[in-house]
């Protein structure tokens, strides 16, 4: 019998939860804190997050919701976050303990009537410690995995050297964009953030998609909920038109700047403003003395479809690859 107890999260535990994720865990980020997850209005998801204790010590948390996958009642990583999954204490990073944790969670979920579990683990790029032991424990307990591929760039060289590693086409497009007299500014006001969101919606419309976050939610992130983690950059033409813009998330645990959203004015055909935007993000990462910049995933359908054009675009800046793993199990 496991010495672990698995209890539902309650609002009274928010401060303890967030302190564990940000200060005491091996693989937690602000995306798994309640101050981030709670931006969702009550009722959007049926939250069923769990806190795992060894005696009275909090050793793991799992932000999750009660949902349905393929007709099965599913305990799934919180839909409001890119990464959910198990967030564990460094002291738990021993293979036997991780296997015990995973087995105990499975038993509890079965007892609670779940038919399936889905855990989206934090990418190694954003984790203080590798998740390899936990990934093994999930495999050992019968989970299968799906894999998304992402692109990131280590900022371990001066800008001039990083720029030399861009592909020939990127260097050509960048020089052409630099001649257009675009100005790079931070987008701070509510109106500026709404302009960014409108541009993003136009970009996604051709894919019959909408942004995960509303304009009001992005404003809330920048001005209140995530003041230290969220920034917006914009490139404007001489007449003030927003030619391209980015929403950036900052992951303090590994000092990585991540492009959560990128948007460009698709009506501009004389040059490629997105090239200058990617370059601006890299320069912003260097200015902030970040270890790396992340340009996000390049796949659809949980990694099964590679967006070739998108990944070739990101690889054109000399990027490397990282993986996001989604673990699922029929209970």
């Amino acid at each position: 019998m496991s010495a672990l107890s698995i209890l539902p999260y309650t609002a009274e535990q928010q401060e303890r939860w967030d302190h564990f994720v940000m200060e005491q865990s091996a693989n937690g980020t602000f995306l798994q804190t309640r101050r981030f997850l709670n931006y969702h209005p009550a009722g959007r998801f049926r939250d069923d997050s769990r806190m795992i204790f060894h005696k009275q010590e909090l050793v793991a948390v799992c932000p999750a919701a009660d949902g349905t996958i393929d007709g099965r009642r599913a305990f799934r990583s919180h839909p409001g976050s890119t990464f959910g999954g198990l967030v564990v204490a460094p002291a738990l990073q021993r293979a036997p303990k991780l296997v015990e944790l995973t087995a105990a969670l499975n038993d509890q979920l079965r007892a609670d009537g779940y038919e399936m579990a889905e855990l989206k683990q934090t990418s190694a790029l954003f984790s203080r410690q590798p998740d390899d032991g936990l990934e093994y424990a999930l495999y050992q307990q019968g989970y299968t995995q799906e894999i998304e591929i992402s692109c990131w760039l280590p900022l371990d060289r001066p800008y001039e050297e990083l720029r030399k590693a861009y592909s020939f086409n990127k260097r050509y497009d960048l020089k052409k964009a630099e001649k257009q007299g675009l100005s790079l500014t931070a987008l701070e006001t509510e109106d500026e953030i709404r302009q960014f969101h409108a541009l993003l919606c136009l970009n996604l419309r051709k894919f019959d998609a909408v942004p995960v976050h509303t304009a009001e939610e992005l404003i809330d992130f920048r001005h209140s909920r995530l003041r230290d983690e969220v920034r917006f950059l914009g490139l404007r033409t001489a007449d003030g038109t927003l030619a391209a813009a980015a929403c950036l998330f900052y992951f303090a645990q590994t000092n990585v700047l991540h492009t959560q959203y990128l948007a460009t004015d698709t009506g501009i055909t004389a040059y490629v403003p997105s090239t200058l935007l990617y370059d601006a993000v890299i320069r912003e990462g260097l200015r902030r003395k970040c270890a790396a910049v992340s340009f996000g995933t390049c796949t659809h359908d949980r990694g099964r479809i590679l967006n070739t054009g998108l990944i070739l675009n990101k690889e054109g800046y000399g990027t490397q690859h990282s993986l996001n793993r989604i673990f699922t199990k029929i209970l």
Side-chain angles (χ1 to χ4, degrees), residues 34-41 44-45 79-81 212-213 217 220-221 225:
R34 304 313 304 190
R35 68 185 171 95
F36 174 75
L37 296 172
N38 289 350
Y39 80 84
H40 293 288
R44 181 180 289 182
F45 306 116
S81 177
V212 173
H213 303 106
E217 288 168 348
D220 176 43
F221 289 172
R225 195 177 299 272

Side-chain angles (χ1 to χ4, degrees), residues 62-84:
C62 188
D66 183 340
T68 302
I69 300 176
D70 297 332
R72 295 183 174 92
R73 185 187 176 206
F75 178 86
R76 58 185 309 184
S77 283
H78 203 292
S81 177
T82 306
F83 305 120

